[in-house]
């Protein structure tokens, strides 16, 4: 049973989930023949929570419970005798889902059609909508780990959703900063940022309809790229079907550009959206963060929480723009 511990000094929340140590790792194995996410192997995974049909009797996207969850909906007791239990430990309540993005044994979003990726994004939207209706859940993070260096344990294309009864620290910090800016300037800081990025163009990577991609001004790793809607929107669940298509196309373009610069490309893609019950929808703006994993986090990052980026974001953006002429 996963457990949520709170560090008594820094207040940092940590999920203790021993079962996850038993996760499969198919990077060494034969691939599709032993892959639990491939079509025909559905009996190796829990039953689908949601399935999008391919129109020919099969599925195109499946949502399944994570077999090795970091959090759980039915956790009423935890077994530990830690001295800090009374103050800092509780069951790790929440939900952990896997979104299998294709029945085919492929690895990255550039191998999906734009239509297929748009459908995956709409599944993100629908799962976020679903969990937003659950009163005990406050926030959900959707993310992708692509490549072993980025933390993937199965190479078959998939994403994950972790929904929690609290707002995680990274989001809470962004919300705090955005709210302070809003109170001072009366506008969303993300709207201001993307307006400046579009005018200046130095860090711009690409645009597609209502979306823009640029290298983050203070990117933590070389080529860290953010994708935002140009029109203000706090919740990803506001995404329309048409927008999903443009967003899919831009994401494929960004990953394709990254692939020309980094071989093999490993990255984390993270969706940051406002908490479900957010009372300040004017100050927060949903976005995707694509963080290529070119270097392991080392002592200074772990020890001081300060990242060292060896590539100027403006130079990274130029390289990405030039990658596909
Ligand atoms: Zn597979
Ligand atoms: Zn905004
Ligand atoms: Zn963010």
């Amino acid at each position: 049973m996963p457990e949520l511990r709170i560090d008594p000094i820094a207040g940092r929340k940590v999920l203790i989930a021993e079962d996850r140590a038993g996760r499969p790792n198919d990077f060494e194995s034969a691939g599709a023949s032993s892959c639990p996410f491939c079509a025909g192997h559905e009996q190796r995974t829990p039953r689908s929570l949601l399935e999008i049909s391919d129109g020919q009797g099969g599925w195109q996207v499946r949502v399944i419970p994570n077999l090795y969850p970091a959090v759980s909906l039915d956790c009423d007791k935890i077994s530990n005798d830690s001295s800090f239990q009374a103050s800092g430990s509780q069951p790790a309540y929440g939900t952990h889902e896997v979104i299998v993005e294709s029945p085919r044994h492929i690895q990255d979003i550039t191998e999906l059609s734009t239509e297929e990726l748009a459908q995956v994004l709409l599944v993100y939207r629908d799962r976020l909508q679903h969990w937003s209706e659950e009163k005990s859940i406050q926030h959900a993070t959707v993310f992708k780990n692509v490549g072993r260096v980025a933390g993937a344990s199965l190479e078959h294309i998939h994403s994950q959703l972790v929904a929690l009864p609290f707002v995680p620290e990274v989001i809470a910090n962004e919300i705090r900063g955005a709210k302070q800016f809003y109170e001072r300037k009366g506008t969303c800081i993300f709207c201001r940022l993307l307006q400046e990025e579009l005018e200046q163009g130095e860090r711009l990577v690409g645009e597609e309809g209502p979306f823009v991609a640029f290298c983050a001004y203070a990117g933590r790793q070389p080529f860290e790229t953010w994708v935002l809607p140009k029109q203000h929107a706090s919740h990803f669940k506001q995404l329309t079907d048409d927008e999903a298509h443009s967003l899919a196309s831009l994401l494929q373009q960004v990953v394709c550009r990254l692939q020309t610069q980094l071989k093999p490309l490993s990255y984390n893609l993270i969706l940051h959206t406002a908490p479900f019950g957010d009372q300040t929808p004017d100050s927060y703006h949903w976005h995707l963060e694509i963080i290529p994993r070119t270097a392991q986090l080392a002592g200074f990052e772990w020890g001081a929480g300060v990242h060292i980026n060896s590539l100027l974001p403006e130079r990274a953006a130029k390289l990405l723009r030039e990658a596909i002429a």
Side-chain angles (χ1 to χ4, degrees):
M1 187 60 69
E3 177 188 343
L4 172 69
R5 288 195 180 182
I6 300 166
D7 179 86
I9 302 154
R12 190 170 46 223
K13 294 186 173 82
V14 176
L15 297 167
I16 310 281
E18 284 195 305
D19 288 350
R20 285 182 65 72
R23 280 180 299 163
N25 191 327
D26 78 342
F27 275 97
E28 319 274 316
S29 74
S33 61
S34 62
C35 172
F37 291 168
C38 275
H41 296 171
E42 291 80 4
Q43 73 287 353
R44 297 192 199 171
T45 64
R47 204 128 55 111
S48 300
L49 301 163
L50 175 77
E51 240 176 58
I52 304 297
S53 158
D54 66 356
Q56 292 156 359
W59 53 273
Q60 188 185 329
V61 183
R62 285 179 83 205
V63 180
I64 52 176
N66 194 312
L67 255 186
Y68 304 90
V71 288
S72 171
L73 281 178
D74 41 31
C75 47
D76 40 22
K77 64 170 188 336
I78 43 171
S79 51
N80 86 70
D81 51 6
S82 158
S83 54
F84 286 114
Q85 185 171 2
S87 59
S89 172
Q90 50 190 282
Y93 184 79
T95 181
H96 192 165
E97 299 179 341
V98 175
I99 298 147
V100 185
E101 298 172 30
S102 171
R104 310 191 299 280
H105 194 77
I106 53 174
Q107 294 179 39
D108 209 343
I109 59 170
T110 47
E111 297 166 81
L112 293 170
S113 70
T114 304
E115 277 309 323
E116 287 170 333
L117 181 56
Q119 183 59 66
V120 170
L121 296 170
L122 292 173
V123 168
Y124 291 178
R125 179 190 70 185
D126 294 348
R127 292 316 284 169
L128 288 167
Q129 176 62 41
H130 172 83
W131 288 110
S132 74
E133 288 158 14
E134 180 67 45
K135 277 197 177 62
S136 58
I137 297 292
Q138 279 196 39
H139 186 265
T141 303
V142 181
F143 60 97
K144 277 176 79 68
N145 303 331
V146 181
R148 198 197 321 223
V149 185
S153 57
L154 289 170
E155 64 180 8
H156 189 120
I157 189 164
H158 69 284
S159 17
Q160 300 178 62
L161 179 152
V162 176
L164 295 169
F166 59 87
V167 179
E169 200 176 340
V170 170
I171 298 289
N173 285 341
E174 287 188 355
I175 286 171
R176 195 176 310 118
K179 209 172 158 198
Q180 282 166 2
F181 185 88
Y182 190 84
E183 280 161 7
R184 284 203 316 275
K185 308 274 186 180
T187 184
C188 161
I189 191 166
F190 294 92
C191 285
R192 176 69 62 86
L193 193 69
L194 71 89
Q195 185 191 332
E196 284 178 11
E197 294 294 352
L198 282 166
E199 280 167 17
Q200 221 179 39
E202 257 193 318
R203 283 176 293 272
L204 213 60
V205 175
E207 283 181 74
E208 186 70 50
F211 298 98
V212 60
F214 53 84
C215 282
Y217 168 72
R220 289 153 285 189
Q221 295 257 296
F223 299 106
E224 176 174 337
T225 304
W226 292 4
V227 176
L228 284 81
K230 292 179 190 170
Q231 288 293 318
H232 182 81
S234 54
H235 291 83
F236 187 80
K237 63 179 185 181
Q238 295 166 266
L239 189 80
T240 66
D241 292 18
D242 283 348
E243 286 170 346
H245 198 270
S246 301
L247 181 58
S249 172
L250 183 56
L251 287 175
Q252 287 180 316
Q253 192 196 121
V254 169
V255 170
C256 195
R257 287 174 191 274
L258 287 169
Q259 284 166 343
T260 65
Q261 296 296 319
L262 302 166
K263 288 178 190 134
L265 173 66
S266 286
Y267 65 94
N268 298 113
L269 181 148
I270 303 141
L271 169 61
H272 279 170
T273 182
F276 295 136
D278 189 22
Q279 301 304 307
T280 54
D282 293 340
S283 60
Y284 195 70
H285 193 123
W286 74 256
H287 56 279
L288 290 154
E289 298 181 5
I290 301 166
I291 308 175
R293 299 294 297 272
T294 54
Q296 289 276 6
L297 296 186
F300 192 56
E301 284 88 351
W302 279 107
V306 179
H307 290 264
I308 304 171
N309 182 345
S310 59
L311 181 67
L312 190 70
E314 294 74 46
R315 204 186 321 280
K318 188 162 183 282
L319 287 168
L320 292 178
R321 286 196 303 271
E322 289 169 356
I324 304 164

